[in-house]
Amino acid sequence: MNNNDRLLRLRYAIDLKDADLIKAFELGEHPVTKEEARAMLTKIQEKHEDNAEKNVYEKAINNQVFDAFLNGLILLARGPQKDKPATADTPQKSKEIKHINNVLLKKLKIALSMTTEDILAIFAEVELYPSKGEIGAFLRKEGQRNFKSCGDKYMRNFLKGLGIYNRRK
C-alpha cells in the first residue's frame, strides 16, 4: 500500500471533500492545486514487460508530503493551538519517516480526537481484534522499548473500519 492508496482510503473513510483536502495540504505547508490533488487520487494503468498491469497514480506522494497533509488535517480538524506562539501552530515536520502507518494512526487519533477504545471499536467493525497493548505499541515512538510497526494489513482494515464506523454515527 502506498501513500496515494492511504490518502484515497482516508478521504473516503472520513468523507473529505476536495476543498478540505486542498486546505489540509495548505495548512500542512505543502500547498497543492485542485489538479495536483486530483492527480494524487487518479490511478493510471501501466503495462510491464510480463504483460501484467499495474495501477500507479498520476502524481506519487512521498512520506514527507503525506506527513504534511496529516499535520494539516490535524489543524483543519482541531484548529491551531491557542496556548502556543504563532510559529508553533503546525506540528513538527519529520525528517525521515520509516513507519508511515504508525504516523498515520497517531495523527488520525489526534485529528479525530479518538481514544484507544475508539480505535479498538474501529478495528472491531472489520472483525480484527488487536489488544490494547498492541494499539499502544503502534502509537509509541520508534526506538522505544515496546514499539511495534503497524503493517499494511492493519492500516487497510483500520481505514475500512473507520469508514464503516463514521457512517454508523
Side-chain angles (χ1 to χ4, degrees):
M1 189 160 79
N2 63 31
N3 290 329
N4 296 76
D5 291 329
R6 290 179 187 92
L7 180 64
L8 188 64
R9 290 169 191 252
L10 176 60
R11 183 174 185 239
Y12 171 75
I14 61 175
D15 197 28
L16 199 61
K17 307 289 184 237
D18 284 345
D20 292 335
L21 182 79
I22 293 167
K23 183 74 174 167
F25 273 109
E26 186 180 302
L27 289 172
E29 297 181 358
H30 187 84
V32 296
T33 64
K34 192 172 188 175
E35 292 76 28
E36 288 175 320
R38 285 218 174 115
M40 290 175 185
L41 301 169
T42 304
K43 290 181 183 180
I44 54 175
Q45 291 185 350
E46 284 186 351
K47 286 217 176 204
H48 291 277
E49 299 114 27
D50 57 354
N51 283 337
E53 290 186 2
K54 183 179 179 186
N55 286 329
V56 293
Y57 290 85
E58 287 181 17
K59 183 175 181 177
I61 304 173
N62 65 27
N63 287 350
Q64 282 70 28
V65 172
F66 191 61
D67 186 49
F69 165 74
L70 293 173
N71 290 338
L73 185 64
I74 291 170
L75 291 174
L76 184 67
R78 298 184 64 147
Q81 292 181 347
K82 291 178 178 78
D83 59 343
K84 300 255 178 157
T87 56
D89 280 350
T90 54
Q92 282 187 340
K93 290 184 180 181
S94 302
K95 293 179 183 167
E96 183 182 343
I97 303 169
K98 292 180 186 173
H99 304 284
I100 193 70
N101 289 336
N102 293 64
V103 172
L104 175 57
L105 190 62
K106 283 181 211 174
K107 292 192 178 186
L108 279 179
K109 183 178 188 232
I110 294 167
L112 303 177
S113 302
M114 293 189 292
T115 63
T116 302
E117 285 75 24
D118 294 332
I119 294 173
L120 291 170
I122 289 167
F123 276 118
E125 292 289 344
V126 290
E127 298 179 6
L128 194 64
Y129 302 99
S131 67
K132 263 189 173 181
E134 199 169 8
I135 300 298
F138 291 151
L139 298 173
R140 288 180 182 272
K141 197 178 214 178
E142 184 180 355
Q144 286 186 333
R145 190 170 138 237
N146 291 328
F147 171 82
K148 182 178 179 185
S149 178
C150 181
D152 285 344
K153 172 189 166 194
Y154 278 107
M155 191 48 59
R156 264 192 305 277
N157 283 306
F158 178 76
L159 292 173
K160 182 179 178 183
L162 183 61
I164 295 167
Y165 185 80
N166 280 340
R167 279 157 186 69
R168 285 201 180 156
K169 277 187 172 181

